[in-house]
Amino acid sequence: MLSRPKLGESEVDLLRFQSQFLASGVTPAAKLVKRANRRGGDASTTQPPPQDHRDVVTLDNLPDLPPALVPAPPKRARPSPSQCLPVDEDLEERLSRHDQHITAVLTKIIERDTSSMAVTLPVPSGVAFPAVFHRSRERQEKPAMCGRKSIFAQEIAARRTSEAEVSPARDATTHLDPPQGAVACEAPTPRDQGCQLTGHAPGSEGPLLATEKRLGKQEAEQESRIIHEENMAIMQAMSHEEIMQAQQELLAQLDPNLVAFVRSRGCAHEQAAKNATKVQGPGGPSADVAKEKAVVTSSASEPRREDKLEPEAPALALPVTPHKEWLHMDTVELEKLHWTQDLPPLRQQRTQQRMQARFSLQGELLAADADLPTHLGLHHHGEEPERAGYSLQELFHLTRSQVSQQRSLALQVLSQILSRAQAGEFADQLVGSVLRLLLDAGFLFLLRFSLDDRVDGVIAAAVRALRVLLVAPRDEELLDRSFSWYHGALVFPLMPSQEDEDDEDEDEEPPGEKAKGKNPEKERRAPPDLARHDVIKGLLATNLLPRLRYILEVSCPGPMVVLDILAVLVRLARHSLEAATRVLECPRLIETIVREFLPISWSPVGMGPTPSLHGVPCAMAMKLLRVLASAGRNIAARLLNGFDLRSRLRRFIAEAPQDLALPPEEAEALSTEAFRLWAVAASYSQGGDLYRELYPVLVRALQAVSTELAADCPPPLPMQRIASLLSLLTQLTLAAAGTQPESLSEPAEAGLSAPPSSVTWTQVSGLQLLVEPCLRKSLNLLPRPEKWNALGPVPTACLLFLSAYYQAWSQQPGLCPEDWLEDAERLSRELLLPLLDQSTLDGLWDSLGSCSPLCNPLSCAPAPEALPSLVSLGCTGGCPQLSLAGSASPFPFLTALLVLFNTLARIHKGLCGQLGAVLAAPGLQSYLVQCMAPRAAPLLTPFSAWALRHEYHLQYLALALAQKASICQPMPATSAALHHATALALLSRLLPGSEHLAHELLLSFVFRLEFLPESTSGGPEAADFSDQLSLVSSGDPRSRRGALLVQACQDLPSIRSCYLTHCSPARASLLASQALYRGELQQVPSLLLPVPKEPLLPTDWPFLPLIHLYHRTSACASGLPPPDAEATALRSLQWVLLLESWRPQALYAVPPGARLARLMCVFLADSELFRETPVQHLVAALLVRLCHPQVLPSLKLDCPLPGLTSFPDLYASFLEHFEAVSFGDHLFGALVLLPLQRRFSVTLRLALFGEHLGALRALSLPLTQLPVPLECYTGPPEDNLDLLQLYFRALVTGALRPHWCPVLYAVAVAHINSFIFSQDPKSSDEVKAARRSMLQKTWLLTNEGLRQHLLHYKLPDCSLPEGFELYSQLPPLRQQYLQRLASGALPSGVSET
């Protein structure tokens, strides 16, 4: 086969390929032709065409020239190079030869021959002049014209027709075929000729052939007449049979489709002739033929013309009747006038079929039967024109309109629909999610394309729709309102918590391989693929940021568009650190925002709408910078140092809001955001140099707080500004503490830390005297709920400031401790202790349960339009007043109060008892009881993660205060047990970002003996007494549960060390969390918390050391266990036993099946570990608890178990390990037997008797030590035929013997006996045959003992040596059945019944 030329081959190679091709003689795929010159005239002339030296390649089925896509300008002819003009030719003669003047035309007129044409005389009329034609006059019997004719031609044709009807000299043939040239302008078109192929009806005497009228020859008609007569003569000489035979032969030669077509036309003509005969009147043949022609012509004309309706067809009810004298209305096309009719009536929905949703121009969902007037502009000519409104599909189509107003209107309507859908207005009316439907249809990229429009109105509508899609206003309001809460500035990223498959695959890779390089294909994923998992990532991949920058910088849009763009940028910055970095690094974006919307000087802006925001300070721009700074320490430093934000902060903080020459609300919001931006920078110990410059301004603002709090109804904006000011002072005070990283920080890490803050303690030491009066005045309003709620976060911010103040005061090395101790006593005596005696405070504690999201999981339900790819808090509909995020929520104030109490108790041990009295509040006790109750945790949504984090702060602070109070004085047993159970529940619920809290609970609370009052109040004795009542007490005193619990309490320090090793979070996360909660501002990396994918610790964290031990042993190549394997297993089993005995609610989330799987890990981890006596005692005690009559029914192994992919696989490996290393260990055998109960899957029993039959000899557990009743194995009767056959084979072959495996021997005998004597008539033939065969083999057994057991089995009984009771004599029915079998009277075809 010839090869094609390749890259890099020379011309010599190409010539060689050409010669090889020509030598092979293969037909070429293309051929070369010489195209004739198109300007050379006809190719058939005698003169040979000039040679064209160009080679033209032509392919089959392709035109010579490509089709013209656009009208091309007329080409100018140019002389061909091959046809040169002769030099000696006279130009005048050439012009004369080509002259086209009228004189040249008239001299060449040649008359045509009219000798053979018939002459028709005009019809005489009684008027002097012919009648003038008027368009309004109706024409009688207008013939059907296939072509388009002028009015004059139509009138002449009508006259000719009328003359033919009244002329007595015309016959039928002349009428049907008028003389050629009678009317020269009426020569039939090709369509007319096609229509006249069947011009004569069946039965007429004329020929059925078309005459060649256009040739102008009389011989054609005569020839056709002669042929017709010859055909008729031949047919008359033939018989009927011969005619039918010839017809069949002819039909066999023709195409069936053509025959069917001709027959259908013939039937139509015959029916038309019959109709004409019916309406025939008393006239001559001419009238009949005329009528027949009219019918045939109308039927043979164009069938697609609908302008002439049948008499039976109903006329359209048009609002205006069209008249033919109107311009262009001579031919009425009714199908184009359908839209002018009245709207059809609304169809009544009588079925349950879903209908398409339609919306108004305000985004409202219209009812299916809504009858709205047409002047509202909601009716159109699309689908369902009778229904008002626009569907989503029609709105999408409208966004691609060429009219900019329509595009803008469609985007506005879509944004309003989306806004209403997010508010939940369509939740009960529409099926499915509107937001999901829009995103799947490409709404996101439709908005992105609309941003590139040239029309400002379309851009504004697109920006507005983009803000509605991404930004939830209530979410931003909630985050702003909680900024001054305890750690309120720390928020979770608003990004999807579930990564896509590619990201999950990357996470499974080792860190070293991931660091080597990333897959470039994954980095260049298409925006639609990114948007499917994360809308924000998909948008950022479409170069959205440069386009928004262009709109702000070049287009200079209106105020609403600017605010929408800034809100969108805020939402992008909240997504993640990566998104915030991209916003910061977008060229000229932040420069444009700072220059245009945060100017230092501007013209005064009064009340009313602002024509433009360019050159005017905007609070939303300041908020954007604050959100960017919250993303990370480096971003905050770049903003402060690279964009001259210090001068902006000085400008907007130095002046009071009323002096900023801005509208009052905008001035308050701008001042508030300036304080918050500074507070965020101070959280990283940055911006401290501004404090010295603005200290007088801050003092003056604090002095004015008391006056603003004294107002009757404080407005919310000034309260937010005051709270932001106090939050700023709190961070500056913590920065002045100058704390250094503690023991967990290494010297290398300390060397990389940020420089200390420039704020000193002496600069903030006097702020307490200004803040404390504000707190006093706020607390005085506590008995007045309406004014107390109006204060917002001000009291919370005051308490947090005082806590930070005393914490920083106690850390100053050069100050006398007596000063802060005395001041702490004074504050407690004068302010805090009187507060505890107020009944209003008890009301706040009582309302904790009703506002708790943990106690009310439905309050954290996801929003109706929540999508995993577009994260929002779901606060679109607002938060109820009595909720954690509501205006009357007690959580912010009580959390701040506990923060202050913990700080004072930590620096002054003598106040622990007095401040710990707050824990005895009945409302708090009731709330903690509700929190520790065994219930399913709320679904982890963005809002639930945010709300639960603040609720967990309150619980942790209450437990921390209880731990400090327990050091000073003993705590009541009930309170200690309550606090310990709350700590266990909280430990398994803490979310990422709270690593420090989890570490502190493990370190100083969970394993404290003071919170286990059962250890000193008869708990071990009660456990032994309970076991004795259950008849499961062991004879060995050391193996009793009471003794094991006492030993576990003594080993609590070792248990704590074990769990600190296996349950502590990652070091980097722990250090970041410690820096946040301890106030070590120099070590704070970011105010963005980790993504809350799941809690920090799993629900089965008490078994975590056992799981880690199993995985470490499995991954070890040598197979040797770790050195600390026995200690790890022992401490973990001790703690689990302690929880099973005294804190069973802590293991509520771990089902019994999962606990059994965790216990199996002890045996799978090592071949010798289970032989250790302490481990044996602990596992036995836990197995007894697992087989308790109250727990055993909930032991389910057939359902999915948490943390386990397949229990049958685990059990198979467990059997293999038992067969290899057990050596008949009874405890190991008890765990093997437990999953073999009859109610569990037959797969487990088949695995033992089918694949591990050798393990039966090691299952020597006595019947008396079986942890569950034997009836759990014997009932109901086994119905699996394969397992029954395995039972029988194991018994007959001796693999299953009573002294080897007594438990399973009794079980097998019971099931075999029940099977061979069963008389179920519904059994299949296969089962009946197996039953007969098994019974015959049993009757013929030589082992008398086994034969006696199988035939005389009665009931299970563990007290007997065999484990079951036998019949002394078989029942009569069974005896007769066996006698028939012995005598051979039971043939194979007879039923046992």
Side-chain angles (χ1 to χ4, degrees):
M1 182 177 179
L2 299 177
S3 61
R4 294 179 175 272
K6 299 180 177 59
L7 183 65
E9 294 179 347
S10 62
E11 295 183 358
V12 178
D13 299 329
L14 297 180
L15 292 175
R16 187 180 72 255
F17 290 151
Q18 181 180 3
S19 62
Q20 293 176 0
F21 175 76
L22 295 177
S24 64
V26 180
T27 303
K31 59 182 178 179
L32 299 177
V33 297
K34 300 293 185 178
R35 196 188 321 190
N37 188 5
R38 290 177 293 179
R39 298 185 180 89
D42 191 1
S44 62
T45 57
T46 57
Q47 182 180 0
Q51 297 294 328
D52 193 351
H53 301 286
R54 294 178 298 172
D55 293 337
V56 182
V57 180
T58 61
L59 298 178
D60 296 337
N61 300 326
L62 287 180
D64 294 339
L65 296 176
L69 300 180
V70 296
K75 297 183 179 180
R76 297 180 179 179
R78 60 179 180 179
S80 176
S82 61
Q83 292 183 352
C84 300
L85 294 177
V87 182
D88 55 350
E89 183 179 4
D90 189 4
L91 295 180
E92 185 177 357
E93 293 180 1
R94 181 178 179 85
L95 290 176
S96 299
R97 186 167 61 249
H98 294 281
D99 189 10
Q100 299 295 329
H101 194 261
I102 186 61
T103 57
V105 175
L106 293 178
T107 57
K108 296 180 181 181
I109 294 178
I110 301 176
E111 295 183 358
R112 59 182 174 177
D113 185 12
T114 59
S115 60
S116 62
M117 297 180 61
V119 179
T120 303
L121 298 177
V123 179
S125 61
V127 296
F129 298 95
V132 179
F133 171 73
H134 196 275
R135 293 186 61 179
S136 61
R137 186 174 61 189
E138 297 290 340
R139 293 187 295 273
Q140 300 294 333
E141 297 186 7
K142 176 182 176 180
M145 301 300 175
C146 297
R148 184 174 181 182
K149 297 184 178 181
S150 65
I151 298 176
F152 179 76
Q154 296 175 17
E155 181 63 20
I156 295 300
R159 290 184 182 181
R160 294 298 183 186
T161 305
S162 61
E163 292 174 2
E165 291 177 354
V166 299
S167 176
R170 302 283 179 88
D171 55 0
T173 305
T174 308
H175 181 78
L176 287 174
D177 199 4
Q180 186 176 8
V183 182
C185 62
E186 293 190 13
T189 61
R191 183 179 297 182
D192 297 331
Q193 296 178 8
C195 297
Q196 292 175 359
L197 288 176
T198 57
H200 293 281
S204 63
E205 298 179 357
L208 297 179
L209 297 176
T211 59
E212 295 292 338
K213 297 180 181 181
R214 285 192 173 185
L215 298 178
K217 298 178 181 179
Q218 293 292 335
E219 291 80 4
E221 182 179 355
Q222 296 176 2
E223 189 70 21
S224 63
R225 174 71 60 178
I226 293 173
I227 295 174
H228 174 63
E229 292 175 355
E230 292 178 355
N231 293 337
M232 294 300 295
I234 294 174
M235 293 180 62
Q236 290 177 0
M238 298 173 64
S239 63
H240 180 70
E241 289 77 7
E242 293 176 348
I243 293 176
M244 295 303 298
Q245 182 180 0
Q247 183 180 4
Q248 294 299 329
E249 294 177 356
L250 184 62
L251 291 176
Q253 298 174 1
L254 296 177
D255 187 6
N257 296 330
L258 179 60
V259 174
F261 172 72
V262 174
R263 284 180 173 176
S264 64
R265 297 295 299 269
C267 295
H269 292 309
E270 185 178 1
Q271 184 67 25
K274 291 181 180 180
N275 295 338
T277 304
K278 290 180 181 180
V279 299
Q280 179 177 337
S286 299
D288 297 340
V289 176
K291 292 180 180 179
E292 181 181 355
K293 177 186 176 184
V295 175
V296 173
T297 307
S298 63
S299 63
S301 61
E302 286 188 48
R304 297 182 181 180
R305 297 187 60 179
E306 300 176 357
D307 53 342
K308 292 186 178 181
L309 297 178
E310 297 290 338
E312 298 83 2
L316 294 179
L318 302 179
V320 178
T321 303
H323 296 284
K324 295 185 178 181
E325 61 269 14
W326 296 352
L327 189 61
H328 301 309
M329 292 299 289
D330 51 343
T331 301
V332 181
E333 300 180 67
L334 296 178
E335 71 276 4
K336 296 183 179 180
L337 297 178
H338 284 182
W339 67 275
T340 61
Q341 300 180 90
D342 292 337
L343 292 175
L346 286 173
R347 293 176 295 176
Q348 298 295 330
Q349 186 72 8
R350 299 179 180 178
T351 62
Q352 298 297 327
Q353 185 179 4
R354 299 171 182 173
M355 301 187 68
Q356 191 176 29
R358 294 191 173 273
F359 303 89
S360 68
L361 297 181
Q362 288 74 34
E364 301 170 345
L365 180 63
L366 299 179
D369 55 351
D371 190 6
L372 301 178
T374 57
H375 70 270
L376 297 178
L378 299 178
H379 295 82
H380 48 84
H381 314 304
E383 298 179 357
E384 302 176 333
E386 70 277 5
R387 291 187 58 195
Y390 290 84
S391 65
L392 295 179
Q393 181 179 2
E394 292 165 353
L395 290 172
F396 264 68
H397 183 73
L398 201 59
T399 55
R400 298 188 295 270
S401 172
Q402 294 183 358
V403 183
S404 61
Q405 291 85 351
Q406 292 181 349
R407 299 198 301 271
S408 177
L409 177 63
L411 292 173
Q412 292 174 5
V413 176
L414 285 173
S415 64
Q416 293 182 8
I417 292 173
L418 188 57
S419 178
R420 293 178 182 273
Q422 291 176 343
E425 293 187 11
F426 308 144
D428 301 333
Q429 303 175 10
L430 297 181
V431 178
S433 171
V434 177
L435 180 56
R436 183 184 298 274
L437 180 63
L438 288 175
L439 291 179
D440 292 343
F443 180 63
L444 183 68
F445 300 99
L446 173 65
L447 297 181
R448 179 61 188 90
F449 299 152
S450 300
L451 288 177
D452 295 333
D453 204 292
R454 297 181 179 180
V455 182
D456 293 341
V458 178
I459 295 176
V463 171
R464 182 63 184 177
L466 189 62
R467 176 177 182 173
V468 172
L469 175 65
L470 300 180
V471 183
R474 296 297 180 89
D475 292 356
E476 292 296 329
E477 179 183 348
L478 176 62
L479 294 177
D480 293 342
R481 192 172 65 249
S482 61
F483 181 84
S484 299
W485 292 9
Y486 179 64
H487 289 284
L490 279 70
V491 294
F492 290 109
L494 296 183
M495 64 181 298
S497 58
Q498 297 181 355
E499 300 178 354
D500 53 348
E501 297 178 359
D502 296 338
D503 296 339
E504 291 178 359
D505 296 341
E506 291 179 1
D507 293 341
E508 294 177 358
E509 297 179 0
E513 296 182 4
K514 188 185 300 185
K516 291 180 182 178
K518 296 183 179 180
N519 191 351
E521 296 181 359
K522 295 180 179 180
E523 293 182 357
R524 294 192 299 266
R525 294 174 61 184
D529 296 337
L530 291 174
R532 192 177 301 112
H533 302 284
D534 193 335
V535 172
I536 302 298
K537 279 188 177 181
L539 267 179
L540 292 176
T542 60
N543 292 330
L544 174 68
L545 296 176
R547 180 58 183 172
L548 295 180
R549 190 272 310 161
Y550 178 85
I551 296 174
L552 289 176
E553 185 180 16
V554 180
S555 300
C556 296
M560 289 304 301
V561 180
V562 171
L563 294 178
D564 292 341
I565 292 177
L566 293 177
V568 169
L569 292 176
V570 169
R571 176 60 184 87
L572 297 179
R574 288 194 186 277
H575 176 268
S576 60
L577 175 61
E578 178 186 359
T581 305
R582 295 186 63 174
V583 173
L584 177 67
E585 295 178 350
C586 179
R588 302 200 313 274
L589 177 60
I590 302 300
E591 293 90 334
T592 301
I593 293 175
V594 173
R595 181 182 68 253
E596 297 293 341
F597 307 112
L598 290 175
I600 297 179
S601 60
W602 65 92
S603 300
V605 179
M607 299 295 295
T610 305
S612 175
L613 281 183
H614 286 71
V616 179
C618 180
M620 187 62 71
M622 187 69 73
K623 179 180 178 179
L624 172 62
L625 300 180
R626 186 251 300 178
V627 175
L628 287 175
S630 301
R633 169 185 293 274
N634 294 333
I635 295 181
R638 292 175 62 181
L639 287 174
L640 285 178
N641 301 324
F643 298 96
D644 195 21
L645 288 190
R646 285 182 170 83
S647 60
R648 265 74 180 176
L649 291 176
R650 296 189 191 98
R651 177 67 178 86
F652 301 129
I653 293 178
E655 288 190 71
Q658 58 271 17
D659 300 332
L660 282 177
L662 292 172
E665 295 185 358
E666 184 67 18
E668 288 284 355
L670 181 61
S671 180
T672 301
E673 289 299 335
F675 282 129
R676 289 173 179 170
L677 174 58
W678 191 5
V680 170
S683 300
Y684 306 120
S685 189
Q686 299 175 3
D689 52 340
L690 293 175
Y691 180 72
R692 294 190 300 268
E693 303 177 21
L694 298 177
Y695 179 79
V697 178
L698 299 178
V699 171
R700 185 169 61 250
L702 281 177
Q703 292 174 347
V705 170
S706 300
T707 305
E708 296 183 11
L709 294 178
D712 294 336
C713 186
L717 286 179
M719 297 299 103
Q720 291 290 334
R721 175 176 51 83
I722 294 173
S724 302
L725 170 62
L726 294 171
S727 300
L728 167 63
L729 298 178
T730 301
Q731 298 301 325
L732 292 173
T733 303
L734 290 175
T739 57
Q740 297 297 329
E742 296 187 2
S743 58
L744 285 179
S745 298
E746 297 179 357
E749 297 175 352
L752 297 176
S753 61
S757 173
S758 58
V759 182
T760 61
W761 172 250
T762 56
Q763 296 173 347
V764 299
S765 58
L767 296 178
Q768 178 203 11
L769 301 178
L770 299 174
V771 176
E772 191 173 330
C774 300
L775 177 61
R776 294 177 183 273
K777 186 162 292 187
S778 300
L779 295 179
N780 292 335
L781 300 177
L782 184 59
R784 306 170 63 181
E786 65 283 353
K787 287 193 173 184
W788 172 258
N789 295 335
L791 295 179
V794 173
T796 301
C798 292
L799 292 173
L800 294 177
F801 171 80
L802 291 179
S803 174
Y805 181 84
Y806 283 103
Q807 175 183 344
W809 194 359
S810 63
Q811 294 174 355
Q812 300 304 315
L815 301 181
C816 180
E818 296 180 358
D819 297 338
W820 70 70
L821 294 178
E822 292 178 358
D823 197 79
E825 293 177 358
R826 177 196 59 80
L827 181 66
S828 302
R829 182 177 60 255
E830 298 179 0
L831 193 61
L832 300 181
L833 295 180
L835 177 63
L836 298 181
D837 297 335
Q838 293 188 15
S839 60
T840 312
L841 186 64
D842 295 336
L844 294 180
W845 292 115
D846 295 337
S847 60
L848 283 176
S850 58
C851 298
S852 166
L854 189 62
C855 301
N856 303 281
L858 295 180
S859 63
C860 298
E865 293 290 336
L867 294 181
S869 60
L870 185 59
V871 179
S872 66
L873 296 183
C875 301
T876 305
C879 300
Q881 187 177 11
L882 281 178
S883 63
L884 188 141
S887 58
S889 173
F891 277 91
F893 175 76
L894 295 180
T895 302
L897 184 64
L898 291 176
V899 170
L900 180 58
F901 281 9
N902 275 276
T903 301
L904 296 179
R906 183 172 61 252
I907 67 175
H908 196 320
K909 306 299 182 183
L911 297 178
C912 293
Q914 300 176 7
L915 299 178
V918 69
L919 301 175
L924 179 59
Q925 297 281 335
S926 175
Y927 166 71
L928 295 180
V929 170
Q930 296 181 47
C931 292
M932 61 170 262
R935 63 161 58 92
L939 182 65
L940 198 59
T941 62
F943 176 74
S944 66
W946 177 87
L948 291 174
R949 176 174 169 271
H950 289 285
E951 183 173 10
Y952 295 158
H953 284 163
L954 184 140
Q955 297 179 14
Y956 170 78
L957 292 169
L959 295 176
L961 185 60
Q963 186 265 335
K964 295 179 179 64
S966 64
I967 300 177
C968 301
Q969 57 185 5
M971 186 172 292
T974 55
S975 299
L978 174 62
H979 293 152
H980 191 256
T982 304
L984 293 174
L986 178 61
L987 187 60
S988 61
R989 295 170 179 169
L990 288 175
L991 299 174
S994 303
E995 291 83 0
H996 171 68
L997 306 185
H999 186 267
E1000 287 296 320
L1001 287 176
L1002 291 173
L1003 185 64
S1004 59
F1005 197 95
V1006 172
F1007 302 102
R1008 290 286 297 273
L1009 192 60
E1010 294 84 354
F1011 294 99
L1012 291 171
E1014 294 86 353
S1015 60
T1016 57
S1017 59
E1021 292 80 5
D1024 289 340
F1025 183 69
S1026 175
D1027 292 343
Q1028 292 175 4
L1029 292 179
S1030 302
L1031 302 178
V1032 294
S1033 178
S1034 175
D1036 189 0
R1038 296 176 301 173
S1039 62
R1040 293 180 179 177
R1041 189 155 58 102
L1044 296 176
L1045 290 174
V1046 171
Q1047 184 64 37
C1049 292
Q1050 296 175 358
D1051 295 340
L1052 276 179
S1054 301
I1055 296 175
R1056 180 182 65 178
S1057 300
C1058 175
Y1059 278 89
L1060 283 174
T1061 303
H1062 292 277
C1063 297
S1064 293
R1067 180 178 177 81
S1069 302
L1070 179 59
L1071 290 177
S1073 179
Q1074 284 180 345
L1076 288 170
Y1077 283 97
R1078 292 179 177 178
E1080 301 171 357
L1081 304 185
Q1082 290 82 4
Q1083 305 299 322
V1084 174
S1086 173
L1087 299 185
L1088 275 183
L1089 299 171
V1091 180
K1093 298 180 181 180
E1094 57 185 0
L1096 288 173
L1097 294 178
T1099 54
D1100 61 341
W1101 66 268
F1103 298 92
L1104 206 56
L1106 291 179
I1107 298 175
H1108 288 173
L1109 178 62
Y1110 169 73
H1111 288 304
R1112 288 166 58 191
T1113 306
S1114 302
C1116 184
S1118 61
L1120 298 176
D1124 59 342
E1126 181 181 355
T1128 300
L1130 184 62
R1131 303 312 174 198
S1132 179
L1133 292 173
Q1134 285 180 324
W1135 180 245
V1136 172
L1137 178 63
L1138 193 147
L1139 295 180
E1140 285 275 10
S1141 302
W1142 294 337
R1143 299 290 181 268
Q1145 66 274 11
L1147 299 176
Y1148 170 79
V1150 186
R1155 302 180 206 174
L1156 175 62
R1158 271 62 172 177
L1159 287 180
M1160 290 181 176
C1161 294
V1162 178
F1163 295 85
L1164 294 174
D1166 184 26
S1167 59
E1168 300 293 336
L1169 181 60
F1170 66 92
R1171 302 182 186 279
E1172 301 294 334
T1173 302
V1175 174
Q1176 285 260 342
H1177 293 166
L1178 290 170
V1179 173
L1182 289 174
L1183 183 61
V1184 169
R1185 297 295 301 169
L1186 202 59
C1187 298
H1188 194 274
Q1190 296 180 354
V1191 182
L1192 190 60
S1194 59
L1195 179 62
K1196 299 178 181 179
L1197 304 178
D1198 300 335
C1199 59
L1201 300 176
L1204 194 64
T1205 56
S1206 174
F1207 185 82
D1209 294 343
L1210 176 66
Y1211 187 71
S1213 60
F1214 193 69
L1215 285 176
E1216 182 179 357
H1217 196 69
F1218 171 79
E1219 190 176 3
V1221 303
S1222 67
F1223 298 102
D1225 184 79
H1226 289 174
L1227 182 61
F1228 208 156
L1231 283 173
V1232 171
L1233 291 173
L1234 188 60
L1236 298 179
Q1237 300 178 50
R1238 176 64 181 86
R1239 62 191 179 96
F1240 296 140
S1241 174
V1242 70
T1243 307
L1244 305 177
R1245 299 188 290 277
L1246 288 173
L1248 175 61
F1249 283 90
E1251 301 175 7
H1252 301 279
L1253 194 62
L1256 295 176
R1257 187 165 186 174
L1259 281 172
S1260 58
L1261 180 70
L1263 290 168
T1264 56
Q1265 297 183 15
L1266 188 65
V1268 296
L1270 186 60
E1271 289 76 8
C1272 295
Y1273 298 87
T1274 59
E1278 184 62 59
D1279 55 358
N1280 188 276
L1281 185 58
D1282 295 335
L1283 182 60
L1284 289 170
Q1285 292 175 349
L1286 291 175
Y1287 281 163
F1288 188 74
R1289 186 178 66 179
L1291 291 172
V1292 172
T1293 59
L1296 183 60
R1297 301 181 182 181
H1299 57 280
W1300 284 355
C1301 186
V1303 176
L1304 292 184
Y1305 180 83
V1307 172
V1309 168
H1311 287 300
I1312 294 298
N1313 177 268
S1314 174
F1315 176 70
I1316 61 178
F1317 287 110
S1318 64
Q1319 299 181 2
D1320 187 6
K1322 298 181 180 180
S1323 300
S1324 62
D1325 295 339
E1326 181 184 2
V1327 173
K1328 292 178 181 178
R1331 183 183 299 125
R1332 279 193 302 271
S1333 175
M1334 195 176 296
L1335 183 57
Q1336 292 174 358
K1337 293 178 181 178
T1338 303
W1339 179 257
L1340 299 176
L1341 281 175
T1342 58
N1343 188 346
E1344 292 294 333
L1346 178 60
R1347 181 173 177 271
Q1348 184 77 7
H1349 290 166
L1350 290 177
L1351 295 178
H1352 292 75
Y1353 172 85
K1354 182 179 182 180
L1355 292 173
D1357 189 355
C1358 293
S1359 60
L1360 297 177
E1362 297 85 0
F1364 48 84
E1365 182 181 356
L1366 297 175
Y1367 283 110
S1368 58
Q1369 185 177 0
L1370 282 178
L1373 290 178
R1374 294 189 177 186
Q1375 186 68 31
Q1376 296 175 6
Y1377 187 69
L1378 288 176
Q1379 289 177 359
R1380 289 199 308 270
L1381 178 66
S1383 61
L1386 189 64
S1388 59
V1390 179
S1391 175
E1392 297 89 334
T1393 58

